[in-house]
Structure formats: structure tokens, C-alpha cells
Amino acid sequence: MYLKDVINTTSKIKFKEIKLNSKDVNKNDLFIPFGGIKNRNIYIKDALFKKCSCVVTDEKYSSKKVFYVSNLEKEIILIFNKYYQYPLKNTKLIGVTGTDGKTTIASILSDLLKCPSIGTNGFKLENKYYPLPNTTPSIDILYSCFNKSRNYKEVVMEVSSEAYLTKRIGDLPFDLAILTDISKDHLDKHKSLKNYIESKLELFKHSKVAILNKDSKYYDLFKENSQKYFSYGFSKNSDLRILKYKLLFSNSIIVFKYKNKKYKVEYPLVGLFNVYNISSCILTMLALGYSIDIILERIKNIKQVKGRMDLVYNENFKVLIDYAHTTNATLNVLKFIKKYNKNIITVVGCAGDRYKEKRNEIGRMVLKYSKLVIFTMDDPRFEDPEMIIKEMIGSSKNKNYEIIIDRKKAIEESFSKIKKNGIILILGKGCDNYMALLDKKVDYSDYDTVFDLIKKL
């Protein structure tokens, strides 16, 4: 492809691929130093040394191979659109954001819309998952996914606050954006709740339509930053108003009102948080033009979201695997389970090198709601897992816990201690297939560990 095919220039320089990281640059590539990086000239120099064909940047650099654009945030979207020949031309892009619930909503919508999804669990295409480096990957990876999704009516993706903080997705336009709710989290990166919320708002500033949780205390703020919006929740005057619900251990029932008509829906997910999640998905589909009859029929057949309240064993006792790692998600899961069973053994840890402010909160929660807590490692990275656990326990006077650093052994211990009809709750890793140790990702899976133990029962 010629450079003049993707930017406004008369240059006839040819390039093969587009690279955003100078480490990945090969001969004849187009390099774009993008994603909130500082000192871009250093990376430009590295790319030129590797004999890239050309560079596009919004910083001045003296070289015949370097081409200047005034606004890289907007220009990069146009570049990738031209490179992939507008992959979203006939496909609606749906973004989901909030502190919790992004993966669940994206997974539900992927089932309901029968479309690809991009997020924590990877890139889902035709019921296969392909790994991604981040919940919301960089714009080059996103456009590669969009290109593979071009024959679908919709594609849904999780949009993290960090994606906007690091400026790795530019001014990517969305057809529709969904807000779950906001709680205090990720402040180690954003430094303040205000900064965290402002990053979340970016999605709605770049979206044509917003689906908002009216019960959120931030509803008005997000409404003010949306071009067009619809609301869901228990609050009066919600476009989709939840009237009542019934939560069972294996499924749930909701009665809601939409355009003065009442509807009842049953679905195979549990917890009050999923009452909100399902409601947002129904309203999203309505906003996309789907009939209520099609929506209610499809909801009956949605699949369990892997790593989210996933009941993987249900015989003499139960084993649940859940990705909960925020204070709000952890509390919601524990409170829901305790309503049905007080004999809970929780296996839990906290990640290293991040979210230090929530460790003691999570520690206090699991000790309060569990009969026994087995504290263990969860992606310690460069921190000592024993020190992380000490911070989780803090000054608690509760003694209903054990410390087993090795996560496999911790789960084995939970199997040896569980009583008939009890529940083992394994929190934090979900369907991750690695353990982050130092700067490496070592193969590890809660699912594999649990399934190996089930075989031995």
C-alpha cells in the first residue's frame, strides 16, 4: 500500500504493515508512535534505524521519511479505516464501560446479537476465543478484530478507563455505549475518582447513543455528556423500569416495564448485579431496533459467562469460580451466596503492584462472609505475596483463615475442608490462564486446577 492511500500526501512511499511499537517494526513498515507515549522522537529514531518505510507523527522530526499530521488522535482512526477499507462501514460498534459488569454484558450481548466480542476473555469470533494483551487493546489490534468482524451487523467491546488514560484507542467512534455503574477503583492509575470518571466519560463523548444506569449516582453526569440516551433501572421514569425480580441459585426472573407494557423474562444467570446487566442488554437491543419478542426468546438461551459466578461443580458440594477482584464485585458475590448457604470457603488473593488501597477492604469482606478464608497468591508480580496477604488481613481479629501461598495447594485445601452441601468460592482469576510472577506470565488456570481435583473425587 502507498502512504498517500492513508494520509493526505503526494508521496509514493510504499509500506507493508502498520506498527505502533518500535520494537515490532520490520523493514518496509509504516511506524506510528501512538498511545500516550512520551519522547516520541526516541521511538522514531529506533524505527528509522530498523529501516521502516515511513513514519507518521504529530511531532516535528527532520527526515524525508517522517510525515507530520496535526491531530494524531483523529488521524489514526482514518489511517486504519483506509488501511482496512472501512471494516465498520456496515457494522455497529457497541462499547461497554463501568467498574464492574463489562465482561458479563459484552458476553450476554455477543450471545443475543450473535456477534463477535472484544474484552477480558479475548476476541470471540464464531464461538472461539483468541487471546488479547488487554481488556481494551490498542487501536491496531482493535482494527484487526474489526476487519475480521466486518460481515456481522454488530461487534461489542469492553472499554476500560485505562484505554482512554493511556490514549491507546484515539477518538474511536461508537454507535452505542453502555454504562454499568461506577465505584471507587483503579485509583492507583487514575490518582483520583474524578480522573477515573473523566476517562469513563470519553466513551460517551464519542458515541451516538448511550444506555445509562439511572440508579447510578453519576447518571446525570453521563447524561449531560451523551448525545442521545436511554435509561434502565428501578428508578421511576427509566425507559426500561425494573419492577420486581426473583433470584434463585441457578437462574433469575425479572418483571420490567417498557413503553407502558409489562414483560417477564427468565434467564440462567444469578445475582442482583445480573438483573442490571440483563436490563441493560434488553434496552440495548431495543435501541438497535430488535423486537421485544425476539429479545425475550433469545434471552432464555444465553450461556453462562465463563469466570463470572460460574458453577463448575454441583454434587455433594458446590464450586464457584468468579473473576471478582474489585471491592464492589467481591461484596456482591459474597452477599448473594450467603443468602443461600453460610458454609462458604473462599479462596482469594489480591494482585501485586496495583490496587493497594482495596486489599484490606477485600480482606475484611471475605472474612466477614466466609466460614473459612484461604488467602493465597493472585498475580503477585514483583511483590511478596505474604506481604499482600498481611495487608488484606490487616488488624482483623477474625481467625477464620489459613494462608497457603501456592494457589493450587490453596484450592486443594479448600476441597479437603469443604463439608457436604457447602460452597467453595474461588475469587480473582476467573478464566485467566496465567499467573503473573515478576515480569513473566506462568501457565496457570483455576479451572484446570479445579477439574483435576474433581476427577480425583
Side-chain angles (χ1 to χ4, degrees):
M1 183 172 278
Y2 292 99
L3 184 63
K4 65 183 180 66
D5 294 330
V6 295
I7 68 168
N8 186 17
T9 180
T10 57
S11 172
K12 293 184 179 180
I13 292 179
K14 292 180 72 174
F15 68 91
K16 287 184 178 178
E17 297 180 355
I18 303 174
K19 300 292 175 62
L20 305 187
N21 190 326
S22 64
K23 292 179 181 178
D24 301 328
V25 169
N26 295 312
K27 187 178 179 181
N28 299 326
D29 283 340
L30 162 59
F31 174 59
I32 307 175
F34 185 75
I37 58 176
K38 296 179 180 179
N39 301 319
R40 288 178 177 171
N41 288 353
I42 295 173
Y43 302 102
I44 293 172
K45 185 177 181 180
D46 183 37
L48 291 172
F49 177 77
K50 292 179 176 177
K51 300 188 184 308
C52 68
S53 281
C54 48
V55 177
V56 173
T57 181
D58 55 4
E59 290 186 8
K60 299 293 184 181
Y61 192 99
S62 181
S63 171
K64 291 181 179 180
K65 284 188 172 185
V66 178
F67 295 80
Y68 175 82
V69 293
S70 61
N71 188 333
L72 198 54
E73 299 286 320
K74 291 183 178 180
E75 195 74 26
I76 197 162
I77 304 299
L78 187 58
I79 289 170
F80 276 104
N81 269 325
K82 289 180 176 179
Y83 182 72
Y84 283 110
Q85 298 181 322
Y86 296 88
L88 295 173
K89 183 180 179 181
N90 299 309
T91 304
K92 285 183 167 39
L93 179 60
I94 302 165
V96 188
T97 199
T99 305
D100 300 303
K102 293 187 294 297
T103 302
T104 299
I105 290 175
S107 296
I108 294 170
L109 281 175
S110 178
D111 281 349
L112 294 176
L113 297 169
K114 301 176 182 179
C115 74
S117 67
I118 299 165
T120 303
N121 289 348
F123 174 44
K124 179 188 175 186
L125 183 68
E126 296 178 355
N127 294 317
K128 290 184 180 180
Y129 282 92
Y130 302 90
L132 295 172
N134 306 96
T135 292
T136 310
S138 55
I139 199 74
D140 54 335
I141 296 173
L142 283 176
Y143 264 87
S144 176
C145 295
F146 296 158
N147 188 46
K148 294 167 185 172
S149 308
R150 68 192 312 143
N151 293 324
Y152 292 85
K153 287 174 64 179
E154 300 94 4
V155 58
V156 59
M157 62 178 278
E158 298 175 49
V159 184
S160 67
S161 57
E162 191 178 338
Y164 281 111
L165 178 69
T166 58
K167 299 181 179 179
R168 64 171 173 258
I169 63 171
D171 291 340
L172 183 65
F174 290 81
D175 293 282
L176 187 145
I178 304 166
L179 175 69
T180 62
D181 199 3
I182 304 290
S183 60
K184 206 173 179 179
D185 205 71
H186 303 290
L187 301 191
D188 58 325
K189 289 186 173 69
H190 293 275
K191 307 305 178 188
S192 72
L193 184 60
K194 181 184 177 184
N195 293 341
Y196 177 51
I197 293 170
E198 284 179 353
S199 289
K200 294 288 188 190
L201 284 170
E202 286 299 312
L203 171 61
F204 297 86
K205 294 174 183 177
H206 292 93
S207 181
K208 295 175 185 175
V209 179
I211 303 295
L212 304 177
N213 180 349
K214 198 162 189 179
D215 298 339
S216 169
K217 65 180 180 180
Y218 302 106
Y219 168 75
D220 287 335
L221 178 61
F222 280 82
K223 180 180 74 172
E224 290 164 8
N225 284 274
S226 301
Q227 298 175 43
K228 181 180 179 181
Y229 58 89
F230 300 99
S231 62
Y232 66 95
F234 290 91
S235 300
K236 288 183 179 180
N237 301 320
S238 298
D239 291 296
L240 186 152
R241 186 183 176 193
I242 305 162
L243 299 177
K244 58 183 178 179
Y245 61 91
K246 185 176 182 180
L247 303 178
L248 305 173
F249 199 83
S250 57
N251 67 314
S252 304
I253 300 167
I254 302 175
V255 176
F256 66 90
K257 182 188 280 188
Y258 178 73
K259 290 189 175 180
N260 295 318
K261 286 188 178 181
K262 291 183 181 179
Y263 301 91
K264 180 180 176 181
V265 61
E266 185 173 347
Y267 56 93
L269 301 176
V270 299
L272 178 57
F273 40 90
N274 275 322
V275 171
Y276 279 103
N277 292 339
I278 286 288
S279 299
S280 72
C281 292
I282 294 170
L283 188 55
T284 295
M285 290 191 71
L286 289 166
L288 290 169
Y290 286 83
S291 73
I292 192 72
D293 292 336
I294 288 176
I295 296 167
L296 298 183
E297 186 60 36
R298 288 187 183 181
I299 279 178
K300 296 175 187 176
N301 301 314
I302 59 175
K303 301 182 186 73
Q304 169 62 46
V305 182
K306 189 175 181 183
R308 303 306 192 273
M309 287 292 285
D310 195 355
L311 184 62
V312 294
Y313 184 73
N314 185 20
E315 294 189 24
N316 294 329
F317 57 90
K318 293 177 172 63
V319 181
L320 280 156
I321 295 177
D322 194 273
Y323 186 63
H325 60 281
T326 66
T327 51
N328 191 51
T330 302
L331 180 61
N332 285 337
V333 168
L334 288 164
K335 285 173 76 173
F336 172 76
I337 292 174
K338 189 136 189 182
K339 283 183 181 179
Y340 299 92
N341 196 314
K342 295 182 180 179
N343 184 14
I344 304 170
I345 296 179
T346 302
V347 180
V348 67
C350 276
D353 297 333
R354 59 195 65 190
Y355 319 139
K356 294 185 179 184
E357 73 282 349
K358 71 182 181 184
R359 290 175 183 173
N360 189 238
E361 287 183 76
I362 288 177
R364 284 189 284 108
M365 285 176 189
V366 294
L367 288 167
K368 177 182 178 181
Y369 285 93
S370 310
K371 187 171 183 179
L372 172 67
V373 178
I374 303 175
F375 289 106
T376 188
M377 69 163 62
D378 180 343
D379 295 338
R381 296 181 176 84
F382 289 92
E383 284 197 73
D384 182 348
E386 288 191 32
M387 294 305 297
I388 294 173
I389 291 168
K390 282 183 179 179
E391 289 179 32
M392 292 181 75
I393 297 168
S395 58
S396 175
K397 293 181 181 178
N398 290 332
K399 300 300 178 185
N400 57 322
Y401 67 84
E402 296 178 17
I403 298 173
I404 302 176
I405 302 300
D406 186 297
R407 195 170 175 99
K408 278 189 179 180
K409 291 180 179 177
I411 295 173
E412 286 174 9
E413 177 72 358
S414 72
F415 270 66
S416 70
K417 289 284 177 72
I418 195 66
K419 294 181 179 178
K420 188 175 181 180
N421 299 322
I423 294 177
I424 296 173
L425 176 61
I426 304 170
L427 294 178
K429 294 291 291 173
C431 56
D432 285 352
N433 58 5
Y434 66 86
M435 182 70 71
L437 298 171
L438 299 177
D439 59 347
K440 293 181 174 60
K441 288 186 176 181
V442 178
D443 287 346
Y444 171 79
S445 165
D446 280 346
Y447 279 88
D448 290 347
T449 300
V450 168
F451 291 147
D452 286 345
L453 289 168
I454 289 171
K455 289 175 186 176
K456 297 175 183 177
L457 293 176

